[in-house]
Amino acid sequence: MMQDAFWGILIPFLGTSLGAGCVFFLKKSLSDGIQRALTGFAAGVMVAASVWSLLIPAMEQAADLGRLAFFPAAVGFWLGILFLLLLDHLIPHLHQNSLQAEGPKSQLQRTTMMVLAVTLHNIPEGMAVGVVYAGYLAGTAQITAAGALALSLGIAIQNFPEGAIISMPLRAEGMKKGRAFWGGVLSGIVEPIGAVLTILAAGIVVPALPYLLSFAAGAMLYVVVEELIPEMSQGQHSNVGTVFFAVGFSVMMVLDVALG
């Protein structure tokens, strides 16, 4: 079981690293259309994962509360939203294609703030993987090894474009290829760290599992609505992002139901 969890936690990080490796093979940055498609796909995966892999299991776990089974899911969800809202205000970061940095004023370089922006939204993904594996290891949740693996694979698939989307602009900002690659890799390192910390936390407080599952869902949906949807809808012909949102959503749904 521990071995399953170990690999499950590493898979999403490998996705980011492989994506960051695109910097060695692609001459110039990704076109707007491709970026929109990849961002839409990532958003679709995250929304489907939030519902099937996190919120529904959170309610199933709280089934003994009867009509109030929604309570831990609703509370955890809001805590996740507020947690990311707080991080957004505390950490200086710069979204791609945006000229204005967010968070407190700082003297950080543009490239550092771009890495911080991606790192910020990788935190909930790491937590999501961690809490699903915590449920699997605890054996109390109705979470199978295959269900946990489905979430890991889904997040790894959407991390691949994220790795490319961070390392390519870093290269475009004038960084050497090697440094741009490590920038992409570093933005993903918070995922396995977040996953391990979440597993440890859930191990200490097993009754908190429904809250943690929905906390990760709230945090992921915050990222989708605050960042990914605006990015995929920028400029003309934004239907590309919408179509790929649907593709990502259905891929994650199929993975979760077929494997789970």
Side-chain angles (χ1 to χ4, degrees):
M1 272 178 100
M2 284 307 288
Q3 197 179 10
D4 285 345
F6 174 75
W7 288 112
I9 287 167
L10 274 189
I11 289 169
F13 176 58
L14 290 175
T16 310
S17 305
L18 286 172
C22 287
V23 77
F24 296 115
F25 307 107
L26 298 176
K27 284 279 183 285
K28 53 185 192 317
S29 56
L30 304 166
S31 75
D32 277 358
I34 291 176
Q35 279 196 20
R36 264 191 227 123
L38 296 177
T39 306
F41 181 84
V45 167
M46 286 168 82
V47 171
S50 298
V51 177
W52 271 273
S53 304
L54 299 167
L55 287 171
I56 292 174
M59 289 186 226
E60 284 172 350
Q61 272 234 280
D64 53 354
L65 294 177
R67 283 192 172 170
L68 289 175
F70 67 86
F71 183 77
V75 170
F77 178 82
W78 269 101
L79 289 173
I81 296 272
L82 295 171
F83 173 65
L84 263 194
L85 192 61
L86 182 69
L87 285 186
D88 242 359
H89 284 292
L90 293 181
I91 297 174
H93 58 286
L94 177 71
H95 294 304
Q96 201 202 337
N97 302 333
S98 143
L99 301 169
Q100 194 65 44
E102 292 180 24
K105 291 240 177 304
S106 76
Q107 300 303 308
L108 294 172
Q109 291 179 306
R110 275 177 62 83
T111 47
T112 309
M113 289 201 286
M114 284 166 80
V115 172
L116 280 174
V118 178
T119 307
L120 237 175
H121 82 214
N122 278 339
I123 294 172
E125 293 169 18
M127 289 184 64
V129 173
V131 74
V132 166
Y133 272 99
Y136 163 62
L137 291 172
T140 50
Q142 288 79 40
I143 296 170
T144 60
L149 180 65
L151 179 68
S152 261
L153 285 173
I155 295 212
I157 291 168
Q158 69 107 41
N159 274 354
F160 180 81
E162 273 185 4
I165 284 174
I166 187 66
S167 64
M168 301 300 288
L170 290 179
R171 174 88 180 111
E173 293 269 331
M175 251 193 201
K176 288 198 166 77
K177 282 186 178 179
R179 283 195 65 192
F181 168 71
W182 285 112
V185 169
L186 277 175
S187 72
I189 197 83
V190 292
E191 290 198 17
I193 294 170
V196 170
L197 292 176
T198 309
I199 285 180
L200 294 174
I204 299 162
V205 276
V206 170
L209 206 56
Y211 293 92
L212 286 169
L213 283 162
S214 48
F215 180 95
M220 286 219 296
L221 286 177
Y222 178 93
V223 168
V224 170
V225 178
E226 199 264 345
E227 187 179 329
L228 301 183
I229 289 175
E231 272 180 25
M232 78 183 206
S233 314
Q234 274 172 350
Q236 299 166 302
H237 307 303
S238 60
N239 355 19
V240 174
T242 311
V243 169
F244 276 85
F245 175 92
V247 172
F249 189 93
S250 36
V251 164
M252 186 66 226
M253 179 171 66
V254 167
L255 271 178
D256 195 83
V257 177
L259 290 178

